[in-house]
Amino acid sequence: MDKQTVTIYDVAREADVSMATVSRVVNGNPNVKPATRKKVLDVIERLDYRPNAVARGLASKKTTTVGVIIPDVTNVYFSALARGIDDIAMMYKYNIILTNSDENGRKEVQVLNTLMAKQVDGIVFMGNDISDEVRKEFERSKTPIVLAGCVDDQDQMPSVNIDYTAAVEEATKNLIDHGNERVAFVSGSLDYPINRDYRLKGYKQALKKAGVRYDDKLVFETDYSYKAGQLLQPALQSVNATAAVIGDDELAAGVMNGITDAGMSVPDDFEIITSNDTKLTEMVRPKMSSITQPLYDIGAVAMRLLTKLMNNEPVDNKTVLLPYGLMKRASTH
Amino acid sequence: MDKQTVTIYDVAREADVSMATVSRVVNGNPNVKPATRKKVLDVIERLDYRPNAVARGLASKKTTTVGVIIPDVTNVYFSALARGIDDIAMMYKYNIILTNSDENGRKEVQVLNTLMAKQVDGIVFMGNDISDEVRKEFERSKTPIVLAGCVDDQDQMPSVNIDYTAAVEEATKNLIDHGNERVAFVSGSLDYPINRDYRLKGYKQALKKAGVRYDDKLVFETDYSYKAGQLLQPALQSVNATAAVIGDDELAAGVMNGITDAGMSVPDDFEIITSNDTKLTEMVRPKMSSITQPLYDIGAVAMRLLTKLMNNEPVDNKTVLLPYGLMKRASTH
DNA sequence: AATCAAATTGAAAACGTTTTCAATTTGATA
DNA sequence: TATCAAATTGAAAACGTTTTCAATTTGATT
């Protein structure tokens, strides 16, 4: 305990007031006489007193930190959400404790517990799935939790998303309207509700409305990587697919480059609509058409929703659907 | 204060031991009889006691959190560093408080102070520059700080980088060896030491060694954005540049697409070497040649260096240079 | 059984701030 | 001047854990 640290006790003694008064000044409590306030502020400046936020957290039971669970911060989709979360967090004077989960359920439970131990005021959870173990931790938690870019098929949790079903339906319809009779659906794991129950559902609805028979050979399940996308060209060709709705931009870039590297032409031989409208859609050639998701806004709105929950503010709607669109670029006609 | 929270006092009472003994058990202190330890652990499990890490942080003066200051988490370069930092942090049982700084000096000072108030055990700083105000905060800090992907031209701070000078020299030499007589240097702000004193220096050294006259019209200063890169094609053409070393992958993708969209051919008409070897270099067409930086490793080694500093472990070398290379892809001959 | 050293345990202070409620001060009114 | 209500202030407890050092226990030896 080196006495170079200035504590509230030092300030109180120098200002000849109690610690309670110093605390009131520091925290902007109005019940302090102006002259007293000035005296204390002068001492604070002279001693360069910096309040210890950990002590404050213990005493006040608010740490002004929020936990953010992210599958992988290097993923362009999730990093955009994280940016929205952090910007709004800082606006409301919170800091984020960021943890990569790798969509590993065991790791998710572990980091959830660590964050709870660190008494975070709230948690934003990103991921493709909510395992039973994770859901159990959610249920026992007194700390507010908001999902961002993650659906809760049991609809128990506050969440911010787009209407993935409608968005994929519209994208699929667009490809069908272009005359494509063999539209593929390229997706991450169909174990994930977001893919199986929301996005694939939109795909099927578009087919049905267009009177196109559903063929499960046109549904491809893979991981969300560029490499996996590149390897899909032969399989897509073998089922005579002429277009695809693809669930991730890096995956889509892989599919597209696999196709063009094989000598086929996009969009003439094969049309592509991807899903996240990250900056990657503009960088590849041809530029990729995409469902537009306001990624930054999903993060920002999730964090704002969380600040309301943390502060017991009234919340109209715990399930927020943000607008989506369809941005046509050069990967479609 | 709702009594549903189980505290160390509850465990001590149930196990009929003192709080000190419970603390010893929880923290693995060997000075506990096996029978006592078992008794305590049984109670901990029965009551589902979860230690409060904030209280522990206050009492022990270690919070097991580290601050990470990042210019922009959506930037592919920095997010890869962040990934390395987090993985090693978790390995050593730390969590990262992540803050976006936008390379804004005022904001950097602000977040530094916030992190200090939150008693982080250490800080990893990423950015292109260390402003005087930031440096002053560094100097007064008793908390260890490590730079990652950020050079300290005053060489006061522990840091992890590659030899940017040698790397750019080699890339420039490569382009000169291809017969290019007009090699451009496309960079972020030359106010930043990393660009002015390290990378531009390498560029100049390569020219000098090749007996090529330095022409400042071939030096382009811009921001690190795809959009800025796209707009550079006319300027590059007007100085008859036939090749460029470019300081950021997104910027390089913009330059390259600007050139190919204008009808020129890469590498036949214009060769490009970029600097970060992110996955973007594989996604664009043609694939981009790049200086290879082990981004993940820069982050990982920085975090490891920080754990040593935090634990007062011996450190051989506070300035770590990791290996770089030159990956030739299709944007060069 | 007595002695001694090592191991174990406990009481209470420490960590630095916030909160609570009683005590005191202040200002307005009659 | 006395009274009263509102404002201000202070003392001490609270927050939940760790640490320190004295007290106690244990085990080995004579």
Side-chain angles (χ1 to χ4, degrees):
Chain A
M1 203 223 64
D2 78 24
K3 199 51 209 138
Q4 287 179 46
T5 300
V6 179
T7 68
I8 203 167
Y9 179 69
D10 302 308
V11 176
R13 189 178 52 212
E14 285 277 344
D16 196 32
V17 297
S18 72
M19 294 189 290
T21 299
V22 177
S23 187
R24 287 188 192 99
V25 171
V26 166
N27 292 297
N29 188 314
N31 291 333
V32 184
K33 277 196 314 203
T36 308
R37 184 183 303 275
K38 181 181 185 320
K39 182 168 62 167
V40 171
L41 286 170
D42 288 346
V43 171
I44 283 169
E45 182 171 355
R46 180 153 55 80
L47 298 189
D48 194 30
Y49 166 63
R50 289 144 177 270
N52 181 322
V54 171
R56 174 187 283 152
L58 182 60
S60 69
K61 296 180 167 269
K62 292 172 84 68
T63 56
T64 67
T65 55
V66 297
V68 176
I69 300 178
I70 186 170
D72 182 4
V73 70
T74 65
N75 179 286
V76 182
Y77 173 91
F78 290 119
S79 69
L81 263 65
R83 182 70 215 225
I85 291 164
D86 186 53
D87 283 357
I88 301 305
M90 290 190 82
M91 193 182 300
Y92 284 85
K93 305 289 159 54
Y94 288 92
N95 292 109
I96 63 171
I97 302 187
L98 187 86
T99 56
N100 290 275
S101 66
D102 297 309
E103 305 249 28
N104 175 317
R106 194 188 56 82
K107 197 171 176 185
E108 282 169 343
V109 171
Q110 182 187 4
V111 300
L112 265 172
N113 284 326
T114 300
L115 292 172
M116 302 290 189
K118 292 193 169 174
Q119 313 291 309
V120 290
D121 295 334
I123 291 176
V124 180
F125 182 90
M126 298 182 247
N128 284 296
D129 187 29
I130 305 178
S131 69
D132 292 339
E133 288 76 28
V134 168
R135 187 177 296 278
K136 214 164 21 168
E137 293 293 330
F138 285 173
E139 283 164 0
R140 70 187 293 189
S141 167
K142 289 187 282 292
T143 304
I145 298 169
V146 172
L147 309 181
C150 174
V151 296
D152 175 20
D153 57 342
Q154 294 181 29
D155 208 25
Q156 294 174 333
M157 309 293 303
S159 63
V160 181
N161 292 285
I162 62 167
D163 185 338
Y164 298 106
T165 303
V168 171
E169 179 177 334
E170 183 170 330
T172 308
K173 178 179 185 303
N174 188 267
L175 293 173
I176 292 169
D177 289 349
H178 290 170
N180 292 291
E181 297 178 349
R182 303 286 288 176
V183 178
F185 178 76
V186 182
S187 173
S189 173
L190 292 175
D191 288 344
Y192 296 156
I194 189 170
N195 294 326
R196 186 189 61 233
D197 299 331
Y198 289 76
R199 306 177 75 260
L200 183 59
K201 179 179 169 188
Y203 169 77
K204 288 180 174 177
Q205 283 177 354
L207 296 183
K208 183 169 184 164
K209 288 183 185 175
V212 176
R213 189 175 59 91
Y214 170 74
D215 177 1
D216 64 12
K217 288 198 189 60
L218 287 169
V219 176
F220 296 86
E221 187 177 3
T222 181
D223 64 51
Y224 281 137
S225 73
Y226 175 76
K227 186 66 52 181
Q230 271 190 307
L231 299 175
L232 267 182
Q233 183 267 340
L236 287 165
Q237 193 164 13
S238 74
V239 293
N240 298 312
T242 58
V245 179
I246 305 177
D248 175 74
D249 288 1
E250 292 183 22
L251 177 58
V255 170
M256 192 175 74
N257 283 340
I259 285 166
T260 54
D261 288 351
M264 291 167 64
S265 168
V266 172
D268 291 337
D269 299 328
F270 198 96
E271 294 187 80
I272 284 171
I273 298 185
T274 185
S275 292
N276 300 335
D277 200 33
T278 61
K279 50 195 174 182
L280 183 58
T281 57
E282 287 276 333
M283 294 182 184
V284 291
R285 289 293 184 272
K287 295 177 186 179
M288 291 192 288
S289 302
S290 180
I291 292 164
T292 57
Q293 304 192 45
L295 300 180
Y296 179 95
D297 289 347
I298 292 175
V301 172
M303 183 65 218
R304 179 66 184 105
L305 177 56
L306 187 61
T307 61
K308 289 183 182 175
L309 294 174
M310 292 189 289
N311 295 324
N312 290 305
E313 291 178 31
V315 174
D316 303 329
N317 202 0
K318 292 195 175 170
T319 304
V320 181
L321 290 184
L322 295 184
Y324 65 89
L326 191 55
M327 170 63 74
K328 297 174 186 173
R329 295 192 180 91
S331 64
T332 51
H333 287 124
Chain B
M1 206 224 66
D2 77 24
K3 199 51 209 134
Q4 288 178 46
T5 300
V6 179
T7 68
I8 203 168
Y9 180 70
D10 302 308
V11 176
R13 189 177 49 212
E14 284 278 342
D16 197 31
V17 296
S18 73
M19 293 189 291
T21 297
V22 177
S23 186
R24 289 192 188 95
V25 170
V26 166
N27 293 295
N29 188 316
N31 291 331
V32 184
K33 279 192 326 203
T36 308
R37 184 183 304 273
K38 182 179 184 321
K39 182 168 59 167
V40 172
L41 287 171
D42 288 346
V43 172
I44 284 169
E45 182 170 355
R46 178 151 56 78
L47 298 190
D48 193 32
Y49 166 63
R50 291 148 176 266
N52 182 322
V54 171
R56 173 186 283 153
L58 181 60
S60 70
K61 295 179 167 267
K62 292 174 83 71
T63 57
T64 67
T65 55
V66 297
V68 176
I69 300 177
I70 184 168
D72 182 5
V73 70
T74 64
N75 178 285
V76 182
Y77 174 90
F78 290 119
S79 70
L81 263 66
R83 182 70 214 229
I85 291 165
D86 186 52
D87 282 359
I88 301 305
M90 290 192 81
M91 194 181 298
Y92 284 85
K93 303 288 159 48
Y94 287 93
N95 292 107
I96 65 171
I97 302 187
L98 188 86
T99 56
N100 289 275
S101 67
D102 296 308
E103 307 247 33
N104 174 319
R106 193 189 56 82
K107 198 170 173 185
E108 284 170 341
V109 171
Q110 182 186 5
V111 300
L112 265 171
N113 284 327
T114 300
L115 292 171
M116 302 291 190
K118 292 195 166 169
Q119 314 290 310
V120 290
D121 296 331
I123 292 177
V124 180
F125 182 89
M126 297 183 249
N128 282 298
D129 187 31
I130 307 177
S131 69
D132 291 339
E133 288 74 30
V134 168
R135 186 178 296 279
K136 216 167 17 172
E137 293 295 328
F138 284 173
E139 284 165 358
R140 71 188 290 191
S141 166
K142 290 186 282 293
T143 304
I145 299 170
V146 172
L147 309 181
C150 174
V151 297
D152 177 20
D153 57 342
Q154 294 182 27
D155 208 25
Q156 292 173 334
M157 308 293 304
S159 63
V160 182
N161 291 286
I162 62 168
D163 186 340
Y164 298 107
T165 303
V168 170
E169 180 177 332
E170 182 169 332
T172 308
K173 178 181 185 301
N174 188 267
L175 293 173
I176 292 169
D177 289 348
H178 290 169
N180 293 288
E181 297 179 346
R182 304 286 289 175
V183 178
F185 179 75
V186 182
S187 175
S189 173
L190 292 175
D191 287 342
Y192 296 157
I194 191 172
N195 293 325
R196 186 188 64 232
D197 300 330
Y198 290 76
R199 309 179 70 261
L200 182 60
K201 178 180 169 186
Y203 168 77
K204 286 177 174 178
Q205 282 178 356
L207 295 184
K208 183 168 183 165
K209 288 182 181 174
V212 175
R213 189 174 61 90
Y214 171 74
D215 176 1
D216 63 12
K217 287 197 191 55
L218 288 169
V219 177
F220 296 86
E221 186 175 4
T222 181
D223 64 52
Y224 283 138
S225 73
Y226 175 76
K227 186 67 51 181
Q230 272 190 306
L231 298 175
L232 268 181
Q233 183 268 338
L236 287 165
Q237 194 164 11
S238 73
V239 293
N240 298 311
T242 57
V245 179
I246 304 177
D248 175 74
D249 288 0
E250 292 184 22
L251 177 60
V255 170
M256 193 177 73
N257 283 340
I259 285 165
T260 54
D261 289 351
M264 292 166 64
S265 168
V266 170
D268 291 336
D269 300 329
F270 198 94
E271 294 186 81
I272 283 171
I273 298 185
T274 184
S275 291
N276 300 333
D277 200 34
T278 62
K279 49 193 176 185
L280 184 57
T281 57
E282 288 275 333
M283 294 181 182
V284 292
R285 289 295 182 270
K287 296 177 188 180
M288 293 193 288
S289 302
S290 179
I291 293 166
T292 57
Q293 305 194 43
L295 301 180
Y296 179 93
D297 289 346
I298 292 175
V301 172
M303 184 64 218
R304 179 68 186 102
L305 178 57
L306 187 63
T307 61
K308 288 183 181 175
L309 294 173
M310 290 190 288
N311 295 323
N312 290 306
E313 292 178 30
V315 173
D316 303 330
N317 202 0
K318 292 193 177 175
T319 304
V320 182
L321 291 183
L322 295 183
Y324 66 90
L326 191 54
M327 170 63 74
K328 296 174 189 177
R329 295 191 179 94
S331 64
T332 51
H333 286 122

